[in-house]
Amino acid sequence: MTFHKIVLVLACLMSSTLPAQEAKVTDLMSKDMANIPGKEGLMAIVDYPPGSVDPIHRHNAHAFIYVLEGSIVMQVRGGKEVTLTPGQTFYEGPDDVHVVGRNASKTKPAKFVLFMVKNKGAPILVPAN
C-alpha cells in the first residue's frame, strides 16, 4: 500500500471516531408577548456543524423552524422523520418530544431560524426520554 493510501485510510478511520460537534445557538431577540401574559417570543439562529446531533428533548413551547442552509432531519415522537432543505419549515408543539434533530450531512454545515413562543423565563430546551 502506498503512503498516500495509508494516510487516506487513517484519515477515514479518525474522522469516523471523532465526536459530532454540538449545535451553536445564537439568540437574535426575545420579546414579551404583551397580549399573552406570561409568554415571550424568542428568535435564534441554529448552526449545525457537519454530523451534529441533538439529544432527545422538548421545548415546552410552540417552536417554528425555517431552514436557511444545508439540510436537517427532524422528528417528533409519533410523527414521521422528515429531511428539510432551504425554504422548508417544521413545527413542534408544547407537548411534543423531539426525538430526531440532526444535520443530514456529515460534511456540510446546516443553519436554520428558530422562532418560539414559550413561558417567560423558561429554558429553551429541556432533556427528555
Side-chain angles (χ1 to χ4, degrees), residues 1 6 10 15 17 25 27 34 48 56 60 64 69 73-74 79 84 97 99 114 124 126:
M1 197 180 312
I6 292 171
L10 288 174
S15 66
T17 60
V25 179
D27 291 337
Y48 272 160
I56 295 174
N60 298 332
F64 301 85
E69 298 173 12
V73 181
M74 298 283 161
L84 306 167
V97 175
V99 293
L114 168 66
I124 293 173
V126 177

Side-chain angles (χ1 to χ4, degrees), residues 22-45:
E22 291 184 18
K24 176 186 169 199
V25 179
T26 304
D27 291 337
L28 298 175
M29 71 174 293
S30 65
K31 178 81 172 152
D32 289 350
M33 307 294 286
N35 294 345
I36 311 171
K39 299 288 184 180
E40 65 183 339
L42 174 104
M43 285 184 73
I45 295 283

